[in-house]
């Protein structure tokens, strides 16, 4: 076309360029007075049916899309026997022209790639796959906006845009089996094999483009086409410069994820990829810059500790970790009663952004920016939760599942291996790497962290399940463990110090708040910081900055009392635990084990009319006796850990029960009132069940000779105990002679509830569900039927619900729930 030539309402101004799919001219839209670009198919090619088809395909594909990062199509038509497309006129250069001058700065490359990914997300959302993404088809405007060009090889989904008649022969001619379309060096492995291209193929191509932007060289360019295709199928591109890998580890991880050979291993969508890239391009502040709003200062020239609040929503935070560059934070948050999910927050912006995948918690963030996450997180006991360990990019995307039933996980310093805590054969064990056992216990392990040099693992060892008191312990890679600081009443949170010479943790021993302490590998202990309330250390960055949560915690009791239609809060102090309800529904048996209950815990009975509680003694209450005259309890007596006592509910003196030297963990009445069932160990053996006669002191082992779970219940007729071993389902074990009986219909994650409704059925609750679902399981048939669904009136911050007690009438019941409301803080100048 020549200058001044008219094509409909468009007047040609001049020639702009040419490509395989046509020539481009600058023109003037005489109706609207704007300059446009007109792309025509050259006359010499206008008789080529394949070229016509591809040209038409580009017009229809691009014409359906409206996005800032996709070239806008204004009009289509036919002139002189050939088709044309009218689009917006761009000022700038193609990305290929930019790359001819050399590589781009990594952050600029990430910004460009994020824009491209957002454009692809819009195209994929409309059913359009580009299939030929490359620098030649990407345009960078003078203002820095990136536009995707040339959808000539685009594949429309069958139900999408364009005619559905036989005229649309793209699928038969251009996308048939064995057809290889695209540009060599940017094609995904599936395209090289002649398989259909998918949106994931575009993400592979974008990975190639991003790699080239960062390095200045093509990812899979070889001496011949055959060698290039082989490289795409079987090889990884050369590593990026060490500076890029160290300063931008997340960007390197993103490129690697895009260039996975299998489509399923790449990002789940272009939108996920765009978000991941936006994290890189957004973090442009120096590592020490925490943004506006940080409260800091100095006294007499010395640094003062500063606290800066990061979260403001109502709910709880399970774990929080710095990203490798220190500019952002990843945390697992459960807000306004919703399931936990991972959030990303830039430290200059108080608004956390969901990464997606509800029900997923954060375990750890690797040095390369990849997350270890806990999928399908479920509560499996007081303070305990487990799920499936998976790897996931910080920006989100499809998680790669690795290992089931994991309580804790942490990356090795180089980000290539995991340390995990999981339940195996009734033992809670620490493995590093996975499969190599360094430490195991009949209790439980929490807050496990690998040292900065990878030579030690620090953790909290809790001797008893359900008790968050314990010891700060460290184990080396040969399995040699030692206690650094022990006998803490509660410990929540642990991290290695900035220089790796100490373990920092948050704990308390007596009736005080949970505060911050440090202990060296030599056992030297020092206090770091104390504040009113409960602290939990989450992470320490190498520059000394700390992530802490400040919590308001309460364990509360809800009861449906006789004659009323709604539940009532009958908690007593700050950490109320419901242990039992009297048969007449008039009294509650409560343990206060928080600050209000003192260092040993307070055993109380409280009338269900809401009047004040009466303290019976110290320790841990179990149950009312069948006649209501006694409370079965455990007390910590010097030299007799876990001794069993009977406390009178009225006039009388306490009685100590001789259990024959058993270190008791749980005890319950046998309904005949003449004996109790004790869970404990008489030495180095497993924790088993023992029936103890209260008059003669005779002791007989009941049930399996393996470690029995603390959840067990005795049938109303005193014939059986329902108990479980490890992850196996509940079984019925006779209290006298006989074989164990399988209970049909029960599942490994069922929690048995007090056996109070009838002999022919038991009640179970599904572990970790919210609201709690109580089910009735028929012992003869295994039929599971809904019995009750329960939830506190405000579920914000509710971490677990347990201790369900139902009276035989089914109308009187109660339960305990733990609520934890957290605020996350960035703390500086701690030392």
């Amino acid at each position: 076309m020549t200058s001044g030539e008219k094509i409909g309402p468009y007047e040609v101004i001049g020639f702009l360029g040419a490509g395989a799919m046509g020539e481009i001219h600058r023109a003037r839209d005489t109706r609207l007075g704007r300059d446009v670009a007109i792309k025509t198919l050259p006359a010499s090619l206008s008789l080529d049916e394949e070229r016509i088809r591809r040209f038409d395909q580009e017009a229809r594909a691009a014409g359906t899309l409206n996005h800032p990062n996709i070239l806008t199509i204004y009009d289509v038509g036919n002139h002189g026997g050939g088709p044309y497309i009218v689009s917006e006129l761009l000022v700038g250069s193609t990305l290929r022209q930019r790359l001819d001058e050399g590589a781009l700065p990594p952050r600029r490359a990430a910004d460009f790639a994020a824009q491209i990914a957002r454009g692809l997300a819009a195209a994929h959302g409309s059913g359009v796959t580009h299939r030929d993404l490359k620098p030649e088809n990407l345009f960078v405007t003078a203002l820095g906006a990136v536009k995707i060009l040339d959808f000539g090889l685009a594949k429309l989904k069958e139900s999408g845009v364009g005619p559905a008649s036989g005229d649309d022969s793209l699928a038969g001619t251009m996308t048939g089996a064995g057809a290889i379309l695209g540009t060599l060096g940017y094609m995904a492995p599936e395209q090289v094999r002649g398989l259909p291209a998918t949106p994931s193929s575009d993400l592979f191509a974008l990975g190639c483009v991003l790699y080239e932007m960062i390095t200045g060289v093509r990812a899979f360019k070889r001496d011949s086409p055959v060698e290039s295709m082989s490289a795409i199928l079987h090889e990884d591109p050369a590593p990026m410069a060490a500076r890029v890998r160290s300063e931008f580890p997340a960007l390197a991880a993103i490129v690697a994820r895009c260039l996975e050979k299998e489509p399923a291993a790449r990002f789940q969508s272009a939108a996920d990829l765009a978000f991941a890239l936006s994290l890189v391009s957004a973090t442009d502040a120096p590592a020490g810059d925490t943004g506006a709003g940080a409260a800091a200062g100095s006294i007499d020239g010395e640094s003062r500790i500063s606290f800066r609040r990061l979260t403001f929503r109502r709910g709880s935070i399970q774990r929080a970790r710095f990203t490798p560059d220190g500019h952002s934070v990843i945390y697992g948050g459960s807000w306004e009663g919703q399931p936990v999910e991972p959030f990303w927050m830039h430290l200059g912006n108080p608004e956390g952004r969901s990464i997606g995948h509800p029900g997923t918690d954060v375990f750890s963030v690797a040095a390369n920016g990849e997350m270890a996450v806990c999928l399908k997180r479920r509560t499996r006991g007081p303070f305990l939760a487990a799920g499936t360990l998976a790897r996931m990019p910080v920006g989100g995307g499809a998680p790669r599942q690795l290992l089931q039933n994991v309580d804790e996980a942490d990356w090795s310093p180089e980000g290539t291996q995991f340390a995990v805590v999981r339940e195996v054969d009734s033992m809670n064990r620490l493995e590093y790497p996975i499969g190599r056992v360094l430490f195991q216990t009949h209790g439980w392990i929490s807050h496990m962290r690998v040292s900065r040099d990878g030579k030690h693992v620090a953790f909290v060892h809790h001797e008893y399940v359900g008790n968050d008191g314990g010891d700060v312990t460290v184990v080396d890679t040969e399995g040699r463990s030692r206690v650094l600081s022990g006998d803490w009443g509660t410990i929540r949170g642990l991290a290695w110090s900035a220089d790796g010479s100490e373990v920092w943790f948050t704990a308390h021993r007596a009736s005080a708040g949970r505060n911050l302490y440090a202990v060296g590998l030599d056992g030297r202990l020092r206090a770091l910081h104390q504040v009113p309330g409960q602290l939990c250390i989450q992470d320490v960055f190498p520059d000394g900055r700390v992530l802490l949560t400040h919590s308001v915690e309460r364990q509360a009791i809800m009861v449906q009392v006789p004659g009323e239609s709604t539940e009532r809060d009958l908690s007593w102090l700050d950490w109320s635990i419901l242990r039992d309800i009297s048969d007449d529904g008039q009294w509650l048996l409560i343990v206060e084990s928080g600050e209000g209950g003192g260092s040993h815990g307070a055993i109380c009975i409280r009338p269900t009319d809401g009047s004040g509680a009466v303290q019976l003694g110290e320790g841990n209450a179990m149950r009312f006796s069948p006649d209501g005259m006694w409370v079965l309890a455990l007390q910590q007596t010097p030299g007799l850990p876990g001794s069993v006592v009977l406390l009178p509910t009225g006039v009388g003196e306490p009685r100590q029960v001789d259990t024959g030297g058993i270190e008791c963990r749980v005890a319950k009445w046998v309904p005949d009132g003449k004996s109790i069932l004790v869970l404990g160990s008489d030495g180095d053996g497993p924790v088993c069940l023992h029936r103890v006669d209260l008059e003669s002191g005779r002791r007989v082992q009941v049930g399996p000779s393996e470690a029995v779970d603390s959840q067990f219940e005795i049938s109303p007729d005193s014939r059986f105990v329902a108990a479980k071993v490890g992850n196996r389902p509940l079984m019925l074990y006779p209290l006298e002679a006989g074989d164990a009986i399988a209970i049909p219909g029960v599942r490994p994650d069922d929690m048995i509830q007090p056996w109070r409704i009838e002999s022919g059925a038991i009640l179970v609750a599904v572990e970790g569900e919210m609201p709690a679902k109580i089910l009735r399981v028929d012992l003869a048939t295994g039929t599971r039927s809904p019995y009750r669904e329960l939830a506190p009136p405000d579920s914000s911050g509710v971490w677990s619900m347990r201790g369900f007690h139902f009276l035989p009438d089914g109308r009187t019941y109660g339960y305990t729930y733990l609520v934890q409301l957290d605020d996350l803080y960035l703390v500086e100048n701690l030392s």
Side-chain angles (χ1 to χ4, degrees), residues 259-312:
L259 297 181
E260 290 280 0
K261 305 301 183 186
E262 294 298 326
R266 298 170 201 154
F267 281 89
Q268 190 173 13
S269 68
D272 289 340
L273 173 56
F275 176 51
L277 288 162
S278 70
L279 305 187
V280 178
S281 59
T283 55
D284 52 5
D289 182 10
T290 59
S298 62
I299 300 176
D300 297 330
E302 295 184 1
S303 296
R304 185 177 67 189
I305 296 174
S306 69
F307 282 76
R308 176 171 172 237
R309 187 173 172 182
L310 300 178
T311 59
F312 299 87

Side-chain angles (χ1 to χ4, degrees), residues 344-578:
W344 170 86
M345 170 189 291
H346 187 260
L347 290 177
N349 186 342
E351 182 66 26
R353 177 171 178 178
S354 171
I355 298 176
H357 302 283
T360 299
D361 195 8
V362 176
F363 274 142
S364 178
V365 180
N368 64 2
E370 192 172 16
M371 292 189 297
V373 298
C374 176
L375 303 179
K376 300 179 181 178
R377 179 183 177 276
R378 58 179 178 81
T379 301
R380 70 174 191 88
F383 314 110
L384 279 167
T388 299
L389 170 63
R391 304 170 64 158
M392 192 168 75
V394 167
R400 185 186 303 177
Q401 298 186 20
L402 300 175
L403 188 65
Q404 293 182 329
N405 299 319
V406 174
D407 296 353
E408 304 266 345
D410 195 23
W411 290 94
S412 60
E414 71 280 1
T416 59
Q417 295 179 326
F418 288 104
V420 299
V421 174
R422 56 176 175 152
E423 192 83 5
V424 179
D425 297 330
S426 302
M427 299 288 285
N428 203 224
R429 70 188 199 187
L430 188 160
E431 303 172 11
Y432 179 53
I434 294 174
R436 183 177 184 184
V437 180
L438 298 184
F439 187 90
Q440 58 183 347
T441 176
H442 286 295
W444 60 293
I445 299 166
S446 70
H447 305 292
M448 180 267 301
R449 302 296 295 272
V450 180
S451 64
R452 298 190 184 277
D453 61 7
K455 296 180 179 179
H456 295 87
V457 181
F459 58 94
V460 179
H461 176 215
H462 309 268
E463 188 174 0
Y464 300 112
V465 174
N467 184 348
D468 65 340
D471 305 330
V472 178
T473 308
V474 66
V475 62
D476 64 19
T477 54
E478 299 300 319
R480 295 182 291 260
S481 65
R482 63 185 187 276
V483 174
L484 298 183
S485 183
D487 196 29
W488 293 93
T490 176
I491 304 183
R492 307 260 195 92
L494 179 150
W496 288 91
S497 63
D499 62 4
S501 64
E502 294 180 311
V503 176
W504 290 12
F505 62 99
T506 33
H508 73 72
R509 282 199 170 101
S511 300
R514 199 166 54 239
N515 293 304
L516 183 60
Y517 298 88
V519 62
L521 294 181
D522 59 359
R524 185 173 302 174
L525 180 71
R526 62 192 183 97
L528 281 173
H529 195 65
Q530 297 184 359
V531 297
Q534 309 293 336
L535 294 180
C536 180
I537 188 168
Q538 298 287 349
D539 202 14
V540 179
F541 198 67
D543 65 3
R545 289 176 296 149
V546 176
L547 291 176
L548 283 172
T549 48
H550 181 268
S551 305
V552 176
E553 299 174 0
R554 184 170 182 254
Q555 195 148 259
I557 296 172
M558 298 298 294
V559 179
Q560 175 71 63
V561 301
E564 297 188 7
S565 58
T566 59
E567 297 175 356
R568 297 176 59 185
D569 187 333
L570 288 179
S571 313
W572 182 231
L573 301 177
D574 63 317
W575 205 258
S576 302
I577 304 171
L578 178 63

Side-chain angles (χ1 to χ4, degrees), residues 121-153:
H124 296 165
S126 297
V128 178
T129 305
H130 192 285
R131 302 201 307 160
D132 193 25
L133 200 69
K134 56 186 178 181
E136 290 80 0
N137 288 339
L138 298 166
F139 196 93
V140 184
T141 71
L143 297 178
V146 182
K147 300 273 188 174
I148 304 175
L149 316 176
D150 197 353
F151 278 82
L153 291 180

Side-chain angles (χ1 to χ4, degrees), residues 15-25 38-45 51 54-55 58 94 132 134 136-137 149-150:
F15 178 75
L16 292 177
M21 286 302 298
E23 298 176 351
I24 304 175
H25 291 75
I38 295 182
K39 183 175 184 178
T40 63
L41 195 64
S44 61
L45 302 176
R51 298 270 184 161
R54 290 174 60 185
F55 193 90
E58 177 183 359
T94 67
D132 193 25
K134 56 186 178 181
E136 290 80 0
N137 288 339
L149 316 176
D150 197 353

Side-chain angles (χ1 to χ4, degrees), residues 641-694:
S643 58
V644 180
V645 297
L646 301 180
L647 302 175
T649 57
V651 177
E653 294 294 326
R655 292 173 49 192
Q656 186 152 333
V657 177
D658 181 7
T659 59
I662 295 175
E663 184 178 341
C664 181
R665 298 190 177 188
V666 181
K668 295 181 181 179
W669 287 96
V670 176
D672 62 11
K674 299 177 181 179
S675 58
I676 61 174
L677 209 57
V678 174
L679 178 68
S681 172
D682 56 3
D684 297 329
V687 179
C688 300
L689 290 169
H690 306 265
R691 185 173 183 172
V692 179
D693 187 278
L694 293 177

